[in-house]
Amino acid sequence: MIAGNWKMNHGAADAADFFKKLKGEVSTTPKNVEVLVCAPFTSLAASVDAAKGIKTIHVGAQNMHFEASGAYTGEVSAEMLKETGCSHVLVGHSERRQYFAETDETVNLKTKKALTEGIVPVVCVGELLEERKADKHFDVVTTQVEAAFKDVSAKDAATIVIAYEPVWAIGTGEVATPEQAQEMHAHIRSVLGKLYDTGVADTIRILYGGSMKPSNAPELLGQKDVDGGLIGGASLKADSFNELIQAAEKASS
Ligand code: 13P
């Protein structure tokens, strides 16, 4: 899976323009790669509309509330997301954890709510630089994964997508080495194997995120446990996003 996270970029008009360009770029529909674009709330409906005609493209949101409705000023529910036609939602992105007080507990509530509503959660985990320096990265990510999957059935768990995004690699140009990514992805899979079983652990897709771009994607996507990418900066332009889709298609064949 190649997933773009536009963050706070691309309003509705820009979104429509992006998909128009992407349709022009993608000469052959990817066979083995699922493509996801996570757009800002106000661009979701326009994105769903503009993405029609590209079979394997999904549109997702970047956040949601875990309640169905109520006095939560400024928030958007899973039910509202469904109405826009989007199918996925990012949960627990490090920027939400850092700037908007997202906790392991709210990540779990949102994950369960998305599953109940039939929206695929893309659960984001990853350690801070100081945690890696202190050699705590495996423990930090273990805790995040265990918390996110708390009280989630094996059947539901198998549908979840995980994104491992080391915070020190996000928007910094500093990318995890393929070995660092592979090591953490294998670790996450072993945590999932213990929570469920190896069948479920092998089914769950684990994406890498953090300064992924066309030049470093082939090596990262070539790792055994790297099932795709969650891309910020390089997902904003249709041409570089398409290059990433093509790199994933190549890696999967
Ligand atoms: P960059 O690709 O810009 O480093 O962002 C990664 C990210 O946060 C995707 O969710």
Side-chain angles (χ1 to χ4, degrees):
M1 172 181 267
I2 288 294
N5 174 10
W6 284 350
K7 308 192 179 183
M8 200 168 69
N9 296 289
H10 288 348
D14 283 351
D17 188 53
F18 171 92
F19 284 105
K20 198 171 148 211
K21 288 196 176 120
L22 188 64
K23 281 182 193 172
E25 290 282 340
V26 183
S27 48
T28 48
T29 311
K31 284 193 199 70
N32 303 314
V33 183
E34 227 180 311
V35 180
L36 170 65
V37 173
C38 296
F41 290 134
T42 57
S43 306
L44 287 175
S47 296
V48 168
D49 195 43
K52 278 181 191 145
I54 314 180
K55 261 191 281 177
T56 47
I57 289 211
H58 306 287
V59 173
Q62 301 170 10
N63 180 39
M64 55 166 248
H65 198 278
F66 50 82
E67 294 291 353
S69 61
Y72 300 103
T73 303
E75 290 293 311
V76 170
S77 69
E79 287 80 351
M80 292 169 184
L81 292 186
K82 271 207 307 199
E83 252 188 294
T84 69
C86 80
S87 55
H88 291 63
V89 63
L90 299 181
V91 178
H93 189 279
S94 64
E95 285 149 19
R96 304 274 340 152
R97 294 180 192 254
Q98 233 177 321
Y99 308 135
F100 302 100
E102 189 88 82
T103 64
D104 281 345
E105 197 192 352
T106 55
V107 169
N108 177 242
L109 291 171
K110 290 178 182 192
T111 301
K112 288 188 291 194
K113 177 64 177 168
L115 289 166
T116 305
E117 297 304 324
I119 297 177
V120 179
V122 179
V123 174
C124 305
V125 298
E127 81 285 357
L128 304 169
L129 182 59
E130 49 271 33
E131 291 166 339
R132 180 163 278 267
K133 280 188 176 155
D135 212 19
K136 289 190 177 138
H137 45 298
F138 291 120
D139 290 344
V140 168
V141 171
T142 302
T143 303
Q144 291 172 339
V145 172
E146 286 177 350
F149 282 75
K150 189 167 174 273
D151 300 327
V152 174
S153 71
K155 187 167 162 272
D156 279 346
T159 67
I160 295 176
V161 177
I162 294 183
Y164 167 58
E165 302 203 302
V167 179
W168 46 271
I170 294 179
T172 57
E174 190 176 343
V175 63
T177 64
E179 294 73 28
Q180 285 172 322
Q182 168 55 29
E183 187 182 43
M184 184 59 87
H185 284 225
H187 172 74
I188 293 170
R189 223 180 280 289
S190 86
V191 171
L192 294 168
K194 281 182 208 140
L195 287 178
Y196 301 99
D197 55 44
T198 48
V200 172
D202 288 344
T203 308
I204 293 174
R205 278 166 302 171
I206 308 174
L207 317 181
Y208 168 80
S211 299
M212 190 187 261
K213 49 183 186 238
S215 59
N216 58 32
E219 233 192 319
L220 286 161
L221 295 170
Q223 302 302 307
K224 179 172 163 285
D225 287 293
V226 177
D227 304 317
L230 178 58
I231 300 111
S235 75
L236 290 174
K237 292 221 163 76
D239 54 355
S240 60
F241 192 56
N242 178 47
E243 281 182 59
L244 290 160
I245 297 171
Q246 301 311 324
E249 185 76 1
K250 221 177 201 173
S252 74
S253 60

